[in-house]
Amino acid sequence: MKLPQSVRLPRSLKLPRSPLSGRALTAGAVAVATLMAGGSAAGAASAERPAAVADAPDIPVANVKAHLTQLQSIATANGGNRAHGRPGYQASLDYVRAELDAAGFTTSLQEFTASGRTGYNLIADWPGGDADQVVMSGAHLDSVTSGPGINDNGSGSSAVLETALAVARSGYQPTKHLRFAWWGAEELGLVGSSHYVDSLGSADREKISGYLNFDMIGSPNPGYFVYDDDPTIEKTFKDYFAGLGITTEIETEGDGRSDHAPFKNAGVPVGGLFSGADYRKTSAQAAEWGGTVGEPFDPCYHSTCDTTANVDDTALDRNSDAIAYAVWELSQ
């Protein structure tokens, strides 16, 4: 996540909750849905899952962590980072694209130049659905040069990847068209996502019914933050967490400083999730979410220690499931 260190915005706590919408499932139906999505009945029984989740699969956190392990290995083999224009970014891109191609997605690369180096966005379309109504989910794939970028933003990239693979495993055929994206050069100032939005004509921008952004969702001292941009997308995420009995807050630490910003500025409805960067957890937040008062949400933010050891499994699991829930709910 690209965050100017000098910018600090106040938080506001939103406690009211809208009642859950959607369809209720029995525990047995949840187990069946999970099995069809590649999970296990035992996982369905033990996972924290709102009753309103009718169709969305449970995203196995072990699968998301396996992608993080791959990204860590790539960084380790390429100078300790996966930064724009460097071998670690190219290897990360190749890994994600190979997974998507094998699953049946139509993938394409969009090339751009930033800071004298060539960069790429990866776009993956799931065949089918109304091309005039596109639900798009994305995350930046690049790290800073100072570390492997596993929470920032291997976490978002891996959860979006596993959600896309869950679409393929389930053979999901939504009413709307699904598109997934992995952005380059976010850490240089949202370069890749800005290039993508600028490359779209007004008609193509209008076809995107919603863009969902996921930048840092596994912070080790996590918070549960929801973007308060498009009301429908915001409510979708808040309903999910309300079903888990988890209080969320409005996302302010990185507001407008991740890859949703170019979409929002172009008039596209946006939303997303965030688990916190270098703001420090308050006593009220620790009372709601656990964790350590007075410590950053991510003490390894933009540092060499942002490794696979720098991820909270519970936050990663909950947020990954919330991504799938939103993709299913908003595309039907």
Side-chain angles (χ1 to χ4, degrees):
M1 172 172 281
K2 177 68 172 176
L3 291 179
Q5 297 298 314
S6 61
V7 178
R8 289 294 179 266
L9 298 174
R11 291 190 185 86
S12 60
L13 181 64
K14 273 196 171 181
L15 294 176
R17 286 292 169 268
S18 301
L20 282 173
S21 62
R23 298 159 299 279
L25 281 182
T26 64
V30 173
V32 171
T34 305
L35 285 167
M36 293 178 65
S40 68
S46 62
E48 295 175 316
R49 305 269 294 159
V53 181
D55 300 317
D58 177 45
I59 300 300
V61 70
N63 291 9
V64 181
K65 291 180 66 178
H67 299 313
L68 292 178
T69 298
Q70 290 295 323
L71 295 179
Q72 177 69 67
S73 297
I74 287 168
T76 301
N78 289 280
N81 69 73
R82 302 179 301 99
H84 161 74
R86 298 173 185 254
Y89 182 77
Q90 184 64 55
S92 300
L93 195 75
D94 292 344
Y95 168 73
V96 174
R97 189 178 194 183
E99 292 283 309
L100 294 162
D101 286 343
F105 282 84
T106 300
T107 63
S108 61
L109 295 181
Q110 185 182 46
E111 182 177 320
F112 59 88
T113 302
S115 299
R117 295 174 182 264
T118 301
Y120 300 94
N121 296 323
L122 171 60
I123 311 299
D125 286 276
W126 181 240
D130 184 354
D132 290 329
Q133 298 184 80
V134 178
V135 174
M136 191 169 186
S137 303
H140 76 87
L141 187 57
D142 63 314
S143 75
V144 292
T145 57
S146 58
I150 298 304
N151 185 42
D152 185 15
N153 182 38
S155 61
S157 293
S158 296
V160 171
L161 172 58
E162 191 57 30
T163 298
L165 297 179
V167 168
R169 284 195 299 267
S170 66
Y172 183 41
Q173 292 298 323
T175 300
K176 298 179 183 178
H177 180 74
L178 293 180
R179 181 173 299 152
F180 299 87
W182 291 261
W183 308 116
E186 187 271 354
E187 298 290 4
L188 299 184
L190 319 182
V191 179
S193 55
S194 296
H195 178 75
Y196 176 82
V197 173
D198 290 345
S199 73
L200 297 175
S202 58
D204 286 330
R205 287 196 296 270
E206 290 172 1
K207 292 177 182 178
I208 303 175
S209 60
Y211 171 70
L212 314 180
N213 193 62
F214 306 102
D215 190 351
M216 302 178 65
I217 61 166
S219 302
N221 189 28
Y224 293 90
F225 299 99
V226 175
Y227 296 6
D228 65 332
D229 293 297
D230 179 75
T232 299
I233 299 174
E234 178 186 2
K235 183 178 184 300
T236 300
F237 286 122
K238 289 174 69 177
D239 281 353
Y240 184 86
F241 284 103
L244 299 180
I246 296 172
T247 298
T248 58
E249 290 187 22
I250 293 173
E251 199 286 280
T252 59
E253 182 179 1
D255 187 29
R257 289 185 289 276
S258 189
D259 292 300
H260 60 293
F263 288 87
K264 181 178 179 179
N265 293 340
V268 175
V270 301
L273 301 174
F274 178 55
S275 57
D278 62 351
Y279 275 21
R280 294 179 183 272
K281 181 172 282 187
T282 67
S283 57
Q285 290 168 333
E288 288 286 351
W289 302 324
T292 306
V293 177
E295 290 296 315
F297 294 101
D298 184 354
C300 289
Y301 173 63
H302 282 187
S303 301
T304 56
C305 59
D306 187 11
T307 66
T308 50
N310 189 48
V311 172
D312 181 85
D313 288 359
T314 300
L316 185 68
D317 190 14
R318 289 168 172 171
N319 283 316
S320 297
D321 287 341
I323 293 171
Y325 175 73
V327 167
W328 258 253
E329 287 293 303
L330 294 170
S331 64
Q332 294 186 44

